[in-house]
Amino acid sequence: MPNRSELPAGFRWGVSTAAYQIEGAADEDGRGPSVWDVFAARPGAVRGGHTGAVACDHYHRYAEDVALMCGLGVDGYRFSIAWPRVQPAGRGVANPAGLAFYDRLVDALLAAGITPLPTLFHWDLPQGLEEGGGWLARDTAYRFAEYAELVVDRLGDRVPAWITLNEPFVHMVFGYALGTHAPGRTLMLDALPAAHHQLLGHGLAAAVLRGRGHEVLIANNLTPVWPASPEPADVAAAAAYDALHNRLFTDPLLLGRYPDLSAYGVGADLGGCVRDGDLKLIGSPGLDGLGLNYYNPTRIAAPTDPGLPFAEAEIEGVPRTAFGWPVVPDGLRELLAGLRERYGSVLPPITITENGCSVADEVAADGTVDDRPRIDFMSGHLDALAAAIAEGADVRGYYTWSLLDNFEWAEGYHQRFGLVHVDFATQRRTPKASYGWYRDLIAAHRAR
Ligand code: IFM
């Protein structure tokens, strides 16, 4: 069985973060409020009442963070651009001070030999757009393309490739269907327009980016779906869940159509929000790469609640992260094999844009952070990736989530995903054992 030491030459190594999770400086240099500022201020919305107002203070400490990346020896850095810094109300002229921050960041990365890989939207919608319906409103897709144009006009001379959206599935489900993330709507299946309008925004922005000669990716959170048993009811429930989690956000991009959502009582027009020509816009000009965020498989059983055609079942007998997520490295190989089988020749090259785990890390008296579970997690997943590539998967790189411990959405600062420990009281950064392990792995790969 091939392992991580056999990953191909030219394979790219990176780390990932997102604006609201690390930047802080929420009120500085003309940044407008985002849906996450408003949501986090709601009593009870985020564990411990935490907010991203300061986060890792990356806005002021980016040079130190770029130096940490440089120490790792990564090829690339995936970060996100905060739309409310660029357009404080989500429309109109650009805020020069907001764009200037990303200018400085991109220049610092390039000076360190690190390729910037920005994501244009990682959930921090300007609150001004939320007040017009957020992603439930078709107009938001057009505003997104305008924002993309402002950003590419400013940074495009130094940034070769862009990720349009991060995890539109998670944003739709937690933000619009269940309300556990911003903007906190609880619309259940009426949240589906938020799926279509995000994808439409992707298509419109992709046309702008490709029109200027850039490469375009999207970062989807995908999961292998396991039926709880071979019983037909469990198998049908698993297919229904797969359609929602995986196919809804990948079929239109690669096949030009939505999957069968009849198990949800929903037709091909997603409840009426899909207009003539939309699917063409979403599927063309095509993706240069598919970003894949992988954390765990999902086990699905027949429904217990009449509202949905599936129920989530426990995965037993596997280790768990501090968050309680099951650790199944081979799920990554399985997922990649399934994508090849499903999409065949229309599947673009893949980059793992996120993979990582939360660990209850603490700085020991001697100043070290021993995060062995993270090293085990990453090594297991990189071995699975090497196996997938040996089977024929075209995977070009691996960006671990995350460089720094950061604001983990509804969990606040309670889940630590970083290679670098952050003391949120002092902002002191302490590289963990996994940081040294990843650095050595990258160096050994290059030296081969
Ligand atoms: O922190 C998140 C990230 O913002 C999106 N993908 C999953 C990570 C861990 O939950």
Side-chain angles (χ1 to χ4, degrees), residues 88-341:
R91 59 180 77 235
V93 293
N95 167 31
L99 278 173
F101 169 67
Y102 298 106
D103 235 3
R104 295 193 290 278
L105 175 62
V106 163
D107 286 346
L109 290 166
L110 293 174
I114 299 168
T115 305
L117 178 58
T119 302
L120 287 164
F121 179 70
H122 196 125
W123 306 348
D124 47 354
L125 193 76
Q127 178 64 17
L129 292 181
E130 169 59 16
E131 283 156 18
W135 287 108
L136 298 170
R138 189 176 169 89
D139 181 60
T140 298
Y142 292 88
R143 301 288 74 78
F144 180 64
E146 282 173 10
Y147 150 69
E149 188 165 6
L150 293 174
V151 178
V152 73
D153 279 351
R154 179 66 175 261
L155 304 177
D157 57 336
R158 285 153 291 156
V159 171
W162 302 79
I163 296 174
T164 53
L165 307 175
N166 178 68
E167 299 183 355
F169 168 76
V170 177
H171 190 50
M172 176 196 78
V173 169
F174 292 155
Y176 288 86
L178 302 175
T180 52
H181 280 187
R185 310 256 196 144
T186 50
L187 298 169
M188 296 305 285
L189 287 174
D190 290 338
L192 282 171
H196 181 62
H197 296 144
Q198 285 185 86
L199 287 168
L200 184 61
H202 158 86
L204 293 164
V208 171
L209 296 164
R210 288 287 286 279
R212 286 165 167 70
H214 291 267
E215 289 192 8
V216 179
L217 294 85
I218 187 169
N220 277 351
N221 174 299
L222 301 179
T223 181
V225 181
W226 296 348
S229 82
E231 290 300 320
D234 287 342
V235 172
Y241 185 78
D242 182 44
L244 189 70
H245 191 138
N246 295 320
R247 304 188 74 138
L248 180 58
F249 295 91
T250 314
D251 282 13
L253 294 162
L254 301 182
L255 303 178
R257 58 171 185 264
Y258 278 113
D260 177 8
L261 294 175
S262 54
Y264 298 86
V266 172
D269 65 349
L270 255 53
C273 62
V274 180
R275 297 197 189 158
D276 283 352
D278 284 1
L279 283 159
K280 193 160 185 318
L281 277 170
I282 291 169
S284 122
L287 287 173
D288 297 290
L290 178 64
L292 175 55
N293 294 359
Y294 171 70
Y295 288 91
N296 53 258
T298 310
R299 188 160 172 262
I300 293 293
T304 44
D305 162 357
L308 287 172
F310 64 84
E312 203 166 335
E314 281 288 301
I315 295 179
E316 278 153 15
V318 299
R320 301 231 159 219
T321 70
F323 216 145
W325 297 354
V327 179
V328 185
D330 191 59
L332 179 55
R333 189 203 54 74
E334 181 185 331
L335 189 57
L336 289 162
L339 286 170
R340 286 169 58 226
E341 195 178 314

